[in-house]
């Protein structure tokens, strides 16, 4: 489908267009009381209009900031469009953000209005009410528990829409005036401010112009041939660029139908019922799926197990070739067809992947085995590399040129270059226009000639696909001179299903030490099968047998590292298994589940010291934060072990010596 | 500039309302009165001469040490035990002999200290069983399941879906309850009791064996039930923190006798109560 909508430079303009061209096609679904409810594009326009006219009456003006907090609900998605239709700026906030984080964003953005899902979010906002003087009104979706609250500054979503509908009934000209406002709006207005997850310090508000956002979405919609016949399940956090881009922006541009899950806990069931044709998930979701499939197969009967393993082997052999349209002998095709009948088809149906036409993963490196597993089932899983500052896409893979170890060539109309220090820089249609209220940071991030610095180190391989090694500033050196790329080591470790998280240290030190987090599901299941009893996460993590298993994984990782010339000099020499799970509530992970290495280094300074001073165990006390904000502490004696290392190939030694 | 919003609009979305408690008794008036009730099993006196009342719309806690007669008291209220002496007045009518099913028909529902669900049935089916006293069609129509019975079934299902939504258990709708963790089973049991649209809800240790987070969730649900549906709640609970936080009035039993009655802060200052049960003041 060619995009010749040059005049369409905001999402509300697309809303008006879709309400005409796809009037009777579904735009939105939401499972409520166990039944999927649908809204057509025409109905969606009505809902957005009613909300916008209500908001207008409450005093929303062009340029106002409106916070949107909650899980994936139609009403919250309508809030984006309603705000944009009044030229106000939506500012989505992570629903699981703790009160201080939320207070910071709401205050920094200077929001006048907040549209939130439920009592939980209202309570959070009320708890820091005095810190955000600009906030005037709060609108909530679910009234439960809010009956006795002071309603002077609080309104039900339905009431606001009711107000809008009443105004429209009284004066139908208001509707035309509203549409005229949309048509008259400029693409140079800010469409949204997305706050970054804050991998490095305070989160920053990334401002995106409407025209940039629309142009970026037009490019990828054309690239993946998305149309009004596609379906997605919107389950990613609202405040994350991925959700806003993949579901909202692409949805408005292509006119596809977005389905909202019944609740965050029902996503896997809803996925199965909806059967989306376009799907995105970070690698850890695919990892979780594979782990759960494998665990369930362990418990299956002998016949089923044999059938499964036989056909998975067939898929490994031919699946990817078939997907990419390469030549496969007749017997292979026949075997794969049988496999599809007995295993892949039912498995994909259970996972909700039956209708997938295009699937993406991004955010971190994905294990080659994991990646191949899903592709061999016939799922067109690809990789992309993106950033909030780019409004997502920087690179993405073509259907026929997909690999696990690289992220693809530049996305349509994106310019990429590698700076002298190895940093990836880009220029793209969806490029941000600056950080909100942080001029100097914007200047820091942009090059004088208008490229955005990604902060990631990478290189193009011989096929023209980009490979990302690590954050540019995290790539360091050991005192021996060997290159130390912590993320590379951590990812190699995390490819083992038993390891959930790994944190590597070594920059400026003589050797590499790592912290490991066990994966409770995988290791717990392993423990059950091996008659290992444990009472808590902590006990399981410290179990000698678990340590033995981890030692094997670390040794295997070292063997792989020794094969990569650049990394061979930085093998893991000591490791420990952490007594608690790294958690975003304790600040150890970002809200998008990335490790905050420097914070962890500070918090567990004692353990790092023990990694390097040769001691075999260390007693620590760690403060933890519970979900309700209370604090407690856990105590443990953590064991530290030496790891097996492998000889460095002669070539790498030579190179080091040369440097 | 700000247009006024009417409070009536705010409540429009609370579509689901329970019907059974529309019995003409105003909020704050006595719904159930227990007068001079004594109960014994053979020679063992479980309850001795106890009187207290439960007012419409309140959360009433019954506390006391182990063996104080709390569960017996609850069993007397829902007609499972028959006291040898004393009277019970419910909705202004005195009652003496009755069966538990009569109590259920009169709008009294309960949960149990040890969960009593159908383990092999799904959450949905378990909660549907709570609607049984509200089903109007006889077994013939039920078996036929067409026409009026189907219409009725759909209405019951809708009511149950509202309860599932209310208790946030959508993700376990189709899961057999035997496979659920304890805290969720407790929630399903509350759901089944709510499905009967009770005027008086009896909860026997709703938070026993729960961790802190589950207790907080359950407290919130109890308060929300009371707030949104106006359901009168009588509960037995051991966790004093919970009792003091959520109940309007507390009656304290010890060795089958009443030793205290009143608002939580008053009861917790009562020297008899402190001696018998609390041991030390929680302040």
């Amino acid at each position: 489908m060619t995009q010749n909508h040059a005049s369409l430079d905001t999402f509300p303009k697309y809303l008006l267009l879709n309400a005409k061209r796809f009037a009777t096609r579904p735009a939105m679904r939401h499972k409520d009381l166990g039944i999927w409810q649908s809204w057509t594009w025409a109905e969606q326009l009505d809902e957005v209009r009613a909300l916008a006219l209500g908001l207008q009456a409450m005093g929303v003006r062009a340029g106002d900031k409106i916070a949107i907090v909650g899980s994936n609900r139609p009403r919250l998605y309508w809030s984006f469009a309603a705000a944009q239709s009044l030229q106000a700026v939506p500012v989505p906030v992570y629903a699981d953000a703790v009160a201080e984080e939320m207070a910071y964003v709401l205050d920094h953005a200077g929001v006048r209005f907040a549209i939130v899902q439920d009592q939980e979010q209202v309570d959070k906002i009320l708890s820091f009410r005095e810190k955000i003087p600009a906030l005037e009104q709060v609108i909530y979706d679910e009234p439960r528990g809010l009956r006795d609250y002071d309603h002077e500054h609080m309104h039900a979503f339905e009431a606001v829409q009711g107000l809008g509908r009443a105004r429209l009934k009284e004066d139908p000209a208001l509707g035309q005036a509203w549409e005229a406002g949309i048509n008259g709006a400029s693409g140079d207005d800010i469409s949204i401010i997305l706050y970054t997850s804050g991998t490095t310090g305070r989160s920053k508000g990334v401002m995106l112009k409407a025209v940039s956002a629309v142009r970026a979405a037009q490019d990828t919609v054309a690239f993946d041939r998305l149309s009004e016949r596609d379906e997605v399940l919107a389950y990613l956090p609202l405040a994350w660029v991925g959700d806003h881009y993949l579901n909202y922006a692409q949805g408005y541009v292509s006119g596809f139908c977005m389905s909202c899950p019944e609740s965050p806990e029902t996503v896997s069931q809803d996925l199965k019922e909806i059967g989306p044709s376009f799907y995105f998930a970070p690698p850890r979701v695919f990892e979780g799926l594979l782990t759960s499939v494998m665990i369930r197969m362990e418990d299956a009967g002998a016949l089923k197990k044999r059938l499964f393993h036989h056909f998975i082997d067939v898929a490994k052999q031919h699946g990817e070739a078939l997907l990419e349209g390469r030549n496969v002998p007749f017997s292979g095709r026949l075997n794969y067809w049988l496999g599809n009948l007995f295993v892949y088809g039912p498995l994909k149906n259970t996972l909700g992947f039956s209708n997938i036409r295009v699937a993406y993963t991004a955010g971190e490196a994905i294990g080659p085995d994991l990646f191949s597993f899903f592709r061999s089932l016939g799922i067109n899983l690809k990789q992309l590399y993106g950033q909030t500052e780019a409004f997502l896409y920087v690179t993405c893979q073509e259907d026929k040129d997909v690999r696990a170890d690289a992220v693809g060539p530049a996305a349509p109309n994106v310019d990429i270059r590698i700076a002298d220090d190895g940093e990836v820089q880009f220029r793209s249609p969806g490029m941000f226009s600056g950080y909100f209220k942080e001029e100097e940071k914007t200047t820091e991030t942009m090059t004088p000639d208008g490229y955005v610095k990604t902060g990631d180190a990478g290189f193009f391989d011989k096929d023209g696909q980009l490979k990302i090694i690590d954050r540019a500033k995290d790539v360091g050196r050991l005192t021996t001179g060997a290159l130390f790329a912590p993320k590379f080591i951590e990812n190699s470790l995390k490819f083992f299903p038993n390891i959930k998280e790994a944190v590597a240290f070594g920059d400026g030190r003589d050797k590499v030490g790592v912290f490991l987090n066990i994966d409770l599901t995988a290791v717990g299941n392993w423990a059950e099968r091996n008659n290992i009893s444990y009472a808590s996460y902590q006990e399981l993590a410290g179990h000698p047998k678990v340590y033995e298993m981890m030692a094997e994984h670390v040794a295997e990782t070292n063997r792989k590292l020794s094969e990569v010339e650049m990394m061979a000099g930085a093998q893991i020499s000591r490791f420990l298994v952490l007594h608690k799970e790294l958690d975003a509530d304790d600040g150890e992970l970002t809200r998008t589940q990335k490790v905050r290495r420097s914070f962890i280094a500070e918090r567990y300074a004692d353990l790092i010291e023990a990694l390097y001073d040769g001691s075999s165990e260390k007693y620590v006390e760690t403060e933890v934060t519970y979900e309700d904000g209370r604090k407690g502490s856990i105590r443990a004696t953590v064991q530290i072990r030496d790891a097996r290392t492998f000889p460095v190939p002669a070539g790498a030694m030579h190179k080091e010596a040369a440097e | 500039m700000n247009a006024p919003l009417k409070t009536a609009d705010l409540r429009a979305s609370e579509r689901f309302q329970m019907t059974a408690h529309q019995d003409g008794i105003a909020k704050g008036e006595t719904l159930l009165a227990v007068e001079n009730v004594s109960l014994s099993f053979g020679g063992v006196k479980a309850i001795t001469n106890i009187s207290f009342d439960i007012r419409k719309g309140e959360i009433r806690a019954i506390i006391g040490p182990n063996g104080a007669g709390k569960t017996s008291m609850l069993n007397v209220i829902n007609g499972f035990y028959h006291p040898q002496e004393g009277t019970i007045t419910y909705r202004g009518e005195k009652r003496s002999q009755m069966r538990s099913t009569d109590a259920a028909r009169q709008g009294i529902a309960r949960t149990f200290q040890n969960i009593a669900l159908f383990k092999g049935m799904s959450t949905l089916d378990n909660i549907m069983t709570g609607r049984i006293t509200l089903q109007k069609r006889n077994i013939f129509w039920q078996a036929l399941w067409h026409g009026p019975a189907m219409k009725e079934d759909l209405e019951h299902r809708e009511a149950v879906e509202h309860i599932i939504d209310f208790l946030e258990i959508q993700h376990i709708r189709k899961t057999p309850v035997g496979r659920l963790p304890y805290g969720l089973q407790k929630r399903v049991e509350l759901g089944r009791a709510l499905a009967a649209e009770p005027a008086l809800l009896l909860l026997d240790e709703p938070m026993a064996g729960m961790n802190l987070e589950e207790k907080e969730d359950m407290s919130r649900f109890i308060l929300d039930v009371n707030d949104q549906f106006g359901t009168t709640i009588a509960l037995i609970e051991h966790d004093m923190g919970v009792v003091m936080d959520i109940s309007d009035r507390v009656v304290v039993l010890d060795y089958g006798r009443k030793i205290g009655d009143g608002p939580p802060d008053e009861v917790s200052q009562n020297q008899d109560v402190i001696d018998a049960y609390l041991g030390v003041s929680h302040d």
Side-chain angles (χ1 to χ4, degrees):
Chain A
M1 195 171 85
T2 49
Q3 298 290 336
N4 50 3
H5 302 300
S7 64
L8 293 167
D9 52 8
T10 70
F11 294 111
K13 286 179 188 173
Y14 265 105
L15 176 65
L16 297 181
L17 173 71
N18 290 344
K20 281 200 199 85
R21 62 175 178 170
F22 305 132
T24 57
R25 289 202 61 88
M28 179 72 79
R29 291 188 220 277
H30 179 221
K31 198 174 184 186
D32 190 24
L33 299 179
I35 298 172
W36 285 100
Q37 314 284 342
S38 301
W39 289 265
T40 63
W41 277 103
E43 286 164 344
Q44 176 146 297
L45 173 64
D46 282 344
E47 298 283 355
V48 173
R49 186 199 291 122
L51 177 63
L53 292 178
L55 289 173
Q56 199 176 41
M58 287 169 65
V60 172
R61 296 182 303 257
D64 279 346
K65 312 292 182 292
I66 302 182
I68 298 175
V69 197
S71 51
N72 312 75
R73 295 302 190 93
R75 286 174 165 181
L76 297 185
Y77 284 109
W78 296 335
S79 304
F80 284 104
Q84 288 165 346
S85 76
L86 300 170
Q87 286 144 275
V89 185
V91 183
V93 184
Y94 285 94
D96 58 351
V98 294
E100 299 106 72
E101 288 171 10
M102 193 179 282
Y104 172 77
V105 172
L106 263 52
D107 178 49
H108 185 264
V111 300
R112 277 187 69 206
F113 295 82
I115 302 180
V116 306
Q117 187 187 342
D118 54 14
Q119 185 185 16
E120 183 189 342
Q121 308 298 347
V122 170
D123 284 348
K124 251 191 254 178
I125 289 180
L126 291 180
S127 75
F128 52 75
R129 184 75 185 78
E130 68 290 348
K131 285 189 206 155
I132 33 171
L135 183 70
E136 288 173 22
Q137 306 284 344
V138 177
I139 295 158
Y140 57 85
D141 179 359
E142 285 173 29
R144 156 116 72 98
L146 292 168
R147 189 197 291 255
D148 295 333
Y149 282 52
D150 177 7
H151 272 78
E152 202 187 328
H153 300 287
M154 260 171 61
H155 312 282
F157 192 95
E158 283 186 359
V160 177
Q161 276 192 320
L163 180 68
R165 289 201 172 95
R167 290 182 68 209
L168 190 65
K169 207 170 163 193
E170 246 169 57
D171 182 5
L174 279 176
Q176 281 133 32
W178 177 70
E179 290 191 16
I182 290 174
N183 288 321
S186 153
D188 286 331
D189 290 338
I190 298 300
S191 178
I192 190 164
I193 300 180
L194 293 165
Y195 275 78
T196 58
S197 56
T199 322
T200 46
R202 277 289 189 197
S203 49
K204 295 171 288 199
V206 175
M207 295 188 290
L208 292 159
K209 279 187 188 168
V211 64
S212 318
V214 169
R215 293 289 172 260
Q218 284 171 344
D219 283 344
T220 58
V221 161
F223 181 80
D224 283 316
R225 297 177 301 282
L226 298 175
S227 75
E228 73 281 7
R229 285 180 300 279
D230 282 299
E231 293 255 3
V232 302
L233 184 75
Y235 73 99
L236 300 159
L238 271 191
W240 182 55
V241 62
D243 183 71
H244 193 71
Y245 186 90
L246 298 167
N247 298 326
Y248 181 84
Q250 293 198 139
Y252 272 68
V253 169
S254 71
F256 65 52
C257 175
M258 185 203 297
S259 299
C260 296
E262 186 168 23
S263 80
E265 289 83 37
T266 60
V267 169
S268 59
Q269 290 155 39
D270 297 331
L271 198 62
K272 191 176 165 184
E273 289 170 9
I274 289 297
S277 59
F278 180 88
Y279 180 72
F280 176 94
R284 66 176 61 224
V285 168
F286 288 108
E287 208 177 297
L289 287 175
L290 179 60
T291 310
S292 78
V293 167
M294 288 306 177
I295 286 171
R296 280 165 70 176
M297 281 321 297
E298 290 288 343
D299 297 337
L303 179 70
K304 280 188 186 166
K305 232 189 227 173
R306 280 188 57 185
L307 208 63
F308 178 81
H309 289 295
H310 170 73
F311 282 115
I312 289 299
D313 287 343
V314 171
K316 264 184 199 155
Q317 208 178 339
H318 303 299
E320 286 188 89
L322 282 166
L323 186 66
E324 286 158 24
R326 282 185 269 135
N327 269 339
V328 174
F330 177 74
S331 62
R333 282 175 192 272
L334 183 70
N335 256 328
Y336 191 85
W337 181 82
L338 283 172
N340 200 32
L341 194 66
F342 291 121
V343 178
Y344 326 139
L347 178 59
K348 281 195 286 185
N349 186 32
T350 304
L351 297 174
F353 290 171
S354 296
N355 298 334
I356 286 185
R357 205 166 54 71
V358 183
Y360 277 108
T361 188
E364 54 195 307
I366 185 164
D369 295 342
L370 178 65
F371 195 61
S372 304
F373 176 82
F374 286 98
R375 285 185 57 78
S376 71
L377 296 179
I379 296 163
N380 183 19
L381 179 61
K382 310 193 283 180
Q383 293 202 71
L384 66 82
Y385 165 69
Q387 275 207 323
T388 312
E389 284 81 355
F391 199 31
L392 202 60
Y393 283 75
V394 175
T395 72
C396 53
Q397 293 176 324
E398 295 265 7
D399 282 359
K400 289 193 175 167
D401 206 1
V402 177
R403 281 162 42 196
D405 61 349
V407 293
N413 298 322
V414 177
D415 266 344
I416 304 180
R417 68 180 185 198
I418 308 290
D420 295 339
D421 59 354
E423 189 182 38
V424 179
Q425 303 180 344
F426 71 91
R427 226 167 32 177
S428 76
M431 221 160 93
F432 76 134
S433 63
Y435 294 116
F436 185 55
K437 291 203 267 192
E438 288 179 286
E439 279 298 319
E440 70 291 356
K441 281 199 177 134
T442 311
T443 331
E444 264 170 43
T445 310
M446 306 286 292
T447 63
D449 56 345
Y451 280 76
V452 179
K453 300 180 195 166
T454 61
D456 286 328
F459 61 95
F460 279 103
D461 66 8
K462 56 184 186 305
D463 302 332
Q465 293 216 20
L466 185 66
K467 268 191 185 184
I468 301 291
I469 319 175
D470 202 340
R471 298 291 296 170
K473 64 175 180 47
D474 288 341
V475 177
R477 282 184 188 277
L478 302 185
T479 48
T480 62
L483 190 72
F484 168 69
K487 193 90 155 270
F488 193 87
I489 296 173
E490 288 160 10
N491 285 335
S492 308
L493 285 165
K494 278 157 62 181
F495 292 153
F496 294 99
N498 292 326
I499 298 178
K500 184 160 187 198
E501 211 56 78
V503 193
F505 305 95
D507 188 24
R509 296 175 187 269
D510 58 339
K511 56 193 178 192
V512 178
V514 294
F515 289 176
L516 299 175
N517 247 184
I518 57 166
D519 185 294
L520 189 58
T521 322
V523 179
N525 192 272
W526 167 86
E528 202 178 302
R529 277 182 282 119
N530 289 283
N531 288 326
I532 291 169
S533 61
Y534 61 97
S536 64
Y537 179 90
Q538 190 181 337
E539 191 182 331
L540 184 63
H543 197 283
K545 286 244 167 90
V546 170
Y547 260 89
E548 268 172 40
M549 179 167 77
M550 292 296 145
E552 276 169 34
H553 291 342
V554 170
E556 180 60 23
T557 305
N558 278 344
R559 198 185 55 73
K560 278 187 197 156
L561 286 172
S562 72
E563 288 166 2
V564 183
E565 205 179 298
M566 276 167 78
M567 312 290 169
Q571 293 180 38
I572 303 158
S573 57
R574 279 163 65 79
F575 74 95
L576 59 84
V577 181
L578 275 181
H579 53 295
K580 80 173 270 295
E581 215 166 351
L582 296 175
D583 195 328
D585 284 347
D586 292 326
E588 296 159 337
L589 301 177
T590 65
R591 288 286 155 202
T592 48
Q593 308 286 309
K594 291 178 186 152
V595 296
R596 296 166 93 165
R597 201 171 290 113
S598 54
F599 179 83
I600 293 171
E602 211 170 286
R603 185 171 159 91
Y604 297 103
D606 289 356
L607 286 178
I608 292 183
E609 198 191 310
L611 269 179
Y612 288 97
D613 69 7
S615 49
S616 65
E617 60 175 48
K618 181 86 189 172
Y619 173 80
V620 280
E621 261 188 66
T622 313
E623 189 181 69
V624 290
T625 312
Y626 298 109
E627 269 188 6
D628 59 1
R630 285 174 316 107
K631 299 202 189 288
S633 79
I634 48 176
R635 286 169 281 273
T637 303
V638 179
Q639 311 277 325
I640 299 133
R641 297 283 169 86
D642 292 329
R644 204 171 130 213
T645 53
F646 290 79
V648 179
M653 288 291 268
H654 178 73
K655 199 177 168 201
E656 264 170 42
E659 276 172 355
Chain B
M1 186 75 191
N2 293 357
L5 297 167
K6 296 186 196 75
T7 352
D9 298 330
L10 303 178
R11 302 193 180 158
S13 63
E14 296 177 12
R15 290 160 292 175
F16 179 60
Q17 284 301 332
M18 296 197 167
T19 50
H21 52 67
Q22 278 147 18
D23 45 21
I25 299 174
K27 200 173 176 209
E29 283 179 25
T30 303
L31 178 68
L32 179 131
V34 175
E35 282 161 287
N36 309 319
V37 162
S38 297
L39 175 75
S40 54
F41 302 101
V44 184
K45 282 216 145 193
I47 296 173
T48 313
N49 195 25
I50 287 183
S51 305
F52 68 95
D53 65 340
I54 299 172
R55 292 179 199 150
K56 182 146 172 137
E58 75 174 344
I59 298 181
R60 185 74 146 126
I62 304 172
I63 64 170
N66 283 332
K70 305 182 298 288
T71 301
S72 299
M73 197 64 239
L74 222 54
N75 281 329
V76 166
I77 294 174
N78 83 332
F80 189 66
Y81 290 160
H82 308 293
Q84 282 83 3
E85 286 167 43
T87 55
I88 293 167
T89 315
Y90 177 62
R91 287 177 172 168
E93 277 175 45
K94 203 176 273 188
R95 76 174 188 214
S96 47
Q97 281 285 355
M98 69 183 302
R99 289 173 300 168
S100 316
T101 48
D102 296 330
R105 290 215 174 81
Q106 289 172 6
I108 300 180
R110 70 170 293 182
T111 66
F112 298 85
Q113 189 173 350
N114 307 310
I115 297 170
L117 290 164
F118 303 102
K119 304 266 179 205
M121 279 163 46
S122 69
T123 298
L124 178 67
D125 290 338
N126 265 288
I127 299 177
M128 279 298 265
T129 61
R131 301 292 293 179
I132 217 143
T133 54
L134 301 173
Q135 277 169 359
K136 296 179 194 80
R137 304 289 156 187
N138 61 29
I139 193 159
F140 171 75
W141 282 108
Q142 298 283 352
L144 211 59
W145 200 66
H146 274 284
M150 181 155 104
K151 185 168 172 285
E152 199 193 330
D153 200 61
L154 289 177
E155 284 164 14
H156 289 311
R157 174 68 191 269
E158 190 183 348
V160 167
E161 283 294 343
H162 277 285
I163 288 163
I164 288 176
D165 182 60
F166 181 83
L167 295 174
E168 295 165 11
I169 47 178
Q170 297 99 332
H171 58 296
I172 54 162
R173 188 185 279 126
K174 303 257 167 84
T175 315
V177 292
R179 291 211 329 238
L180 298 175
Y182 184 78
L184 277 177
Q185 291 196 16
K186 280 272 190 196
R187 224 190 278 181
V188 175
E189 205 185 28
L190 175 62
R192 183 179 59 185
L194 282 179
E197 303 189 12
L200 174 60
L201 178 61
L202 309 176
L203 305 174
D204 196 350
E205 299 207 14
M207 286 162 237
M210 286 189 171
N211 65 31
L212 182 84
E213 202 179 324
E214 289 169 332
K215 277 184 186 173
E216 284 180 349
D217 280 347
M218 188 52 101
S219 303
R220 190 164 55 84
F221 285 123
I222 292 172
L223 288 169
D224 284 351
V225 166
N226 177 254
D227 177 58
Q228 187 160 336
F229 306 130
T231 311
T232 311
I233 296 171
L235 65 93
I236 295 177
E237 186 49 58
H238 268 301
D239 187 316
M240 292 309 291
V242 169
V243 169
M244 297 303 161
D245 273 355
I246 71 174
S247 48
D248 298 312
R249 290 192 304 151
V250 183
V251 51
V252 192
L253 306 185
D254 191 20
Y255 293 111
R257 290 168 197 281
K258 182 167 101 169
I259 57 169
D261 192 353
D265 42 352
E266 203 176 283
V267 166
S268 61
Q269 302 299 320
N270 181 329
Q271 198 53 47
D272 286 344
V273 176
I274 294 170
D275 291 347
Y277 184 54
L278 300 173
V280 284
S281 167
H282 275 242
D283 298 330

